[in-house]
Amino acid sequence: MSADPATLLATLQRLEWGVAVVSPDDWLVEFENATFFRWFPPTQDDTESLAGRLPGLREERARARLEDGQPFKFETEVKDGVRSVSLQVVLRPFEIEDQPAVLVEAHDTSKQKEAEYMLDSYSQLAERNARELQREKERVEKLLLNIMPRSVFDEMTEFGTVTPQRFDDASIMMLDFVQFTSMAVSRDPSALVAELNDIFTAFDRIVELFGGERLKTIGDAYLAVAGIPDPSPDHARNLARVALRIRRYLERRNASHPEQWLCRIGLDTGPVIGSIVGVQKYVYDIFGPGVNLAARLESLAEPMQILVSEPAYQLIRNDFVLTDLGIVEVKGFGPQQLYSLDREEPRR
């Protein structure tokens, strides 16, 4: 080999998987890294022989494969502290300083085994519980829950109708993307929609994480609320956290993708009316000045900026860092005191 042996052995010692160098004649271990020693510690009777330390090794078959110049693979299980570790072990013919040797590698496959076991268990459970009627019911429920909150769905399935409700304490977030129209014209439609779907799916998870509801998307616009339909004293703070994490998600995504997605976000809080709209095609929607103001703020925001109204500011100012933007003329609302949401205050 061209590499310096001392350098090679030092590199092997730093690896996270188990590595050993073994003499092909007597199968004595001439080198092993710390991981290999931990997984296959020497026994009292046989401190150096590989055959005595590798449980499950079929020595004769391994020798035959190695003499033919082929690797020999097998799986085994060892104790690593209090847990069992599944390992895949590979023996390969090897040369060091022009002398024949056997390189032994052991890789932890526990996570792969656990994933396979969980997948198998889930498949068996799904097969046992698969009922055509139940699947259809779940499909319909899933579709309806995509367009309305759970409590509204429950009321509709129980009574066949939904009573419009007034929510005095709610927060609204309106988001859209910068120059989305030009993106839609210039890019492949399938790829663009796939990306937008991935992004909105990530948004949905963030909104759900903080107890909010994504009400709808219209093209590249995204509307989410908190405090509806289930009241929450933290509705404004939760939606502010949602907005910050959405922005952070896009920043990280943009750092690793050639296509840049820049959003504008508006946040407001106040009373709204929520109700099902439509007869054959149901849509759950909200109405009120807060919705309109959130949309106006979104349109005024700079790329990757989160604009906050005065009412929302009063509810979140103790927990977040905001920049005072002064009085700004907002179409349909006149002069408004606005703020830029910068970051969350670290917890003391």
Side-chain angles (χ1 to χ4, degrees):
M1 295 182 61
S2 60
D4 177 62
T7 302
L8 174 62
L9 295 181
T11 302
L12 295 176
Q13 189 62 256
R14 292 193 295 267
L15 295 178
E16 295 181 357
W17 60 86
V19 177
V21 177
V22 179
S23 169
D25 297 323
D26 50 18
W27 284 54
L28 293 181
V29 178
E30 298 179 345
F31 167 83
E32 59 187 312
N33 67 1
T35 303
F36 190 93
F37 184 87
R38 189 176 81 247
W39 285 343
F40 308 106
T43 63
Q44 294 181 352
D45 299 329
D46 192 346
T47 59
E48 299 297 333
S49 173
L50 180 70
R53 294 172 61 178
L54 285 183
L57 173 63
R58 302 175 68 175
E59 183 176 351
E60 292 183 1
R61 293 192 62 180
R63 284 185 178 275
R65 293 280 293 178
L66 293 170
E67 288 173 359
D68 289 339
Q70 301 295 321
F72 179 77
K73 301 179 182 180
F74 70 100
E75 295 182 349
T76 187
E77 186 173 288
V78 299
K79 284 288 186 180
D80 189 2
V82 297
R83 71 186 187 99
S84 295
V85 179
S86 298
L87 301 173
Q88 182 181 73
V89 182
V90 183
L91 286 71
R92 308 178 191 274
F94 186 66
E95 283 188 2
I96 185 168
E97 292 186 315
D98 297 326
Q99 296 298 317
V102 176
L103 178 66
V104 185
E105 299 178 45
H107 294 267
D108 187 348
T109 60
S110 299
K111 291 184 178 180
Q112 178 182 344
K113 293 289 185 183
E114 292 172 1
E116 292 173 352
Y117 174 79
M118 291 177 63
L119 181 60
D120 183 63
S121 299
Y122 177 80
S123 299
Q124 294 179 11
L125 180 63
E127 291 174 359
R128 288 196 301 266
N129 296 328
R131 300 289 188 272
E132 188 63 32
L133 183 60
Q134 182 64 25
R135 286 201 301 265
E136 185 65 17
K137 178 183 176 181
E138 292 174 354
R139 186 185 70 86
V140 172
E141 179 177 328
K142 183 178 180 180
L143 289 173
L144 290 174
L145 287 175
N146 279 333
I147 61 174
M148 65 183 70
R150 163 65 71 174
S151 60
V152 176
F153 168 79
D154 291 340
E155 182 182 355
M156 185 174 179
T157 54
E158 183 174 357
F159 301 106
T161 185
V162 175
T163 303
Q165 288 182 278
R166 175 186 170 92
F167 302 95
D168 291 323
D169 298 305
S171 291
I172 306 98
M173 182 190 78
M174 183 67 76
L175 173 151
D176 80 347
F177 291 102
V178 178
Q179 296 182 341
F180 180 80
T181 302
S182 60
M183 292 170 61
V185 172
S186 62
R187 295 183 52 192
D188 174 59
S190 297
L192 179 69
V193 172
E195 283 189 58
L196 187 62
N197 182 66
D198 288 343
I199 292 171
F200 279 171
T201 299
F203 289 2
D204 288 347
R205 291 178 181 143
I206 295 171
V207 171
E208 183 179 356
L209 180 65
F210 289 94
E213 289 278 353
R214 185 263 284 170
L215 288 191
K216 61 181 177 180
T217 62
I218 307 172
D220 66 320
Y222 186 95
L223 174 63
V225 295
I228 300 174
D230 299 319
S232 170
D234 295 325
H235 58 89
R237 288 187 289 271
N238 286 342
L239 209 56
R241 294 184 179 103
V242 167
L244 288 171
R245 280 159 179 80
I246 282 177
R247 184 171 67 183
R248 186 186 311 165
Y249 163 79
L250 288 177
E251 289 171 345
R252 292 179 177 177
R253 190 183 193 282
N254 290 339
S256 59
H257 286 71
E259 300 295 342
Q260 301 294 292
W261 291 78
L262 304 177
C263 70
R264 296 185 295 250
I265 299 177
L267 289 180
D268 188 30
T269 186
V272 296
I273 302 296
S275 180
I276 289 287
V277 178
V279 177
Q280 292 182 331
K281 295 184 178 181
Y282 297 113
V283 174
Y284 183 81
D285 210 345
I286 58 173
F287 313 91
V291 182
N292 297 333
L293 182 55
R296 294 297 187 192
L297 296 184
E298 169 267 308
S299 65
L300 289 173
E302 297 294 330
M304 302 301 276
Q305 185 181 42
I306 304 169
L307 282 188
V308 178
S309 67
E310 176 69 23
Y313 167 79
Q314 293 299 332
L315 294 177
I316 68 174
R317 59 191 178 90
N318 294 329
D319 300 292
F320 297 85
V321 177
L322 299 101
T323 300
D324 188 338
L325 302 179
I327 302 297
V328 178
E329 185 70 25
V330 179
K331 183 179 179 180
F333 292 88
Q336 297 286 320
Q337 173 67 51
L338 301 184
Y339 303 85
S340 173
L341 177 59
D342 301 327
R343 63 184 184 276
E344 189 171 1
E345 285 279 18
R347 295 184 178 180
R348 296 179 177 84

